Amino acid sequence: MTAPRIGLALGGGGARGMSHIPVLEAFDQLGIRPHAITGTSIGSILGAAYAAGRSGQEVREIALELFADRNAVLASLWKLRPKKLTDIFTGSTVTFDPLKVLEAFVAHHLPETFEDLEVPFKAIATDFYGCEEVVLESGPLLPAIAASIAIPAVFRPVKRNDRILIDGGVANPLPFDRLPADCDIIVAVDVVGGPVPRADREAPTSLDTIFGSSQILMQSITQQKLKQSAPALLLRPENDNVRVLDFLKTRQVLEKAEDLRLLTIQRLTQLIAELEKNN
């Protein structure tokens, strides 16, 4: 029997998305390369790196190195701040250019185009004015990922082919339905999470409210999708106090997500055995 075609969908969720990494390591430990990968927001960054041929361990090392030094991270972001006074504020929030952020932090870890990837990969974004999901799968890679991660209130929208694109999680936070129809097994990793209270505050901050509302909406979208069809393996890290922008907690997120690696190995092994038995 030929090796099963396994599709991998990596959802959006900000810093909680580092929980994807132990799942990638589980694939490596089992000696499996995905048949195809889809990614939304943070899932598009990690999915592209894995599709480019990086191992899960390499992705872990890159993530830990990027966020090991708080001062270095903040200094890099300070350099990337909008320089013109008229560009600093959009409404009432400071917004960064997502492409420049990617160029500063991860560009040298990724190839230039989708066509350079070793595994077929799709990044999910949202057409702001068109009010619809956009699947990006060809051409320059970094601008596509920039569109996929363009979280409102944090990043500026990205213009691509006369469309204004924002974070893919707005339309499709868990894109398992964008994997090829010929996948034998679909694995989806949902890292959206939900709002969590702050110990030192009775009420959420304005930013907490914005991000928490988005999490609630994304959960609703995913719940409706799961009623129509479901992946063979749905993985979710524990909901905890890690918020969307808590990337400096990367090591903590990885430690807590270790159970996902073990669960992925166990369940995927069972699914493959069942598939082989039935065939």
Side-chain angles (χ1 to χ4, degrees):
M1 177 182 173
T2 58
R5 297 179 294 268
I6 300 177
L8 176 61
L10 303 179
R16 288 172 52 81
M18 293 302 175
S19 299
H20 290 315
I21 295 175
V23 177
L24 304 183
E25 292 174 322
F27 270 71
D28 291 341
Q29 190 167 336
L30 291 171
I32 296 171
R33 292 300 289 171
H35 175 61
I37 302 172
T38 56
T40 290
S41 203
I42 183 66
S44 72
I45 300 176
L46 300 178
Y50 199 55
R54 299 278 183 179
S55 68
Q57 179 64 34
E58 286 176 316
V59 176
R60 174 186 289 264
E61 291 169 358
I62 291 167
L64 288 173
E65 181 181 355
L66 282 175
F67 300 109
D69 188 334
R70 175 188 178 87
N71 291 333
V73 171
L74 295 178
S76 295
L77 289 174
W78 177 253
K79 292 178 182 178
L80 294 170
R81 75 193 187 283
K83 299 301 188 295
K84 294 180 182 179
L85 185 61
T86 54
D87 292 338
I88 290 180
F89 292 98
T90 301
S92 60
T93 58
V94 177
T95 55
F96 293 88
D97 182 331
L99 183 57
K100 289 184 178 179
V101 172
L102 290 173
E103 288 171 345
F105 285 93
V106 301
H108 56 292
H109 298 297
L110 297 170
E112 292 187 3
T113 71
F114 280 88
E115 290 74 20
D116 295 324
L117 297 171
E118 296 182 4
V119 176
F121 170 70
K122 298 176 183 178
I124 308 301
T126 302
D127 183 333
F128 183 72
Y129 291 113
C131 303
E132 63 182 2
E133 175 184 355
V134 177
V135 179
L136 304 170
E137 54 184 321
S138 63
L141 181 61
L142 218 59
I145 297 174
S148 185
I149 70 167
I151 301 173
V154 178
F155 294 119
R156 291 185 225 161
V158 172
K159 186 174 183 180
R160 182 183 172 100
N161 297 332
D162 296 324
R163 283 177 153 182
I164 301 300
L165 305 181
I166 62 171
D167 179 45
V170 173
N172 193 345
L174 188 60
F176 62 88
D177 53 333
R178 294 304 178 187
L179 288 163
D182 64 349
C183 289
D184 299 309
I185 297 171
I186 288 179
V187 179
V189 191
D190 179 6
V191 295
V192 167
V196 291
R198 293 183 184 269
D200 58 344
R201 298 182 65 94
E202 292 186 4
T205 66
S206 296
L207 208 56
D208 285 343
T209 303
I210 292 171
F211 291 143
S213 298
S214 295
Q215 287 174 302
I216 293 168
L217 289 170
M218 288 191 286
Q219 284 194 4
S220 297
I221 292 170
T222 298
Q223 287 170 7
Q224 289 302 313
K225 286 174 56 178
L226 291 173
K227 290 178 181 178
Q228 299 172 12
S229 64
L233 177 55
L234 176 60
L235 300 163
R236 288 183 169 125
E238 173 188 352
N239 193 34
D240 52 25
N241 65 346
V242 175
R243 292 174 171 80
V244 174
L245 300 181
D246 281 344
F247 285 97
L248 293 173
K249 293 183 179 179
T250 290
R251 186 175 295 277
Q252 173 186 328
V253 174
L254 288 170
E255 290 173 354
K256 286 190 174 183
E258 179 60 18
D259 287 346
L260 284 184
R261 184 181 66 83
L262 301 175
L263 180 60
T264 302
I265 291 171
Q266 178 186 23
R267 289 290 295 119
L268 199 47
T269 299
Q270 291 174 348
L271 289 168
I272 293 172
E274 291 170 6
L275 184 67
E276 292 176 344
K277 180 179 179 181
N278 293 333
N279 290 337

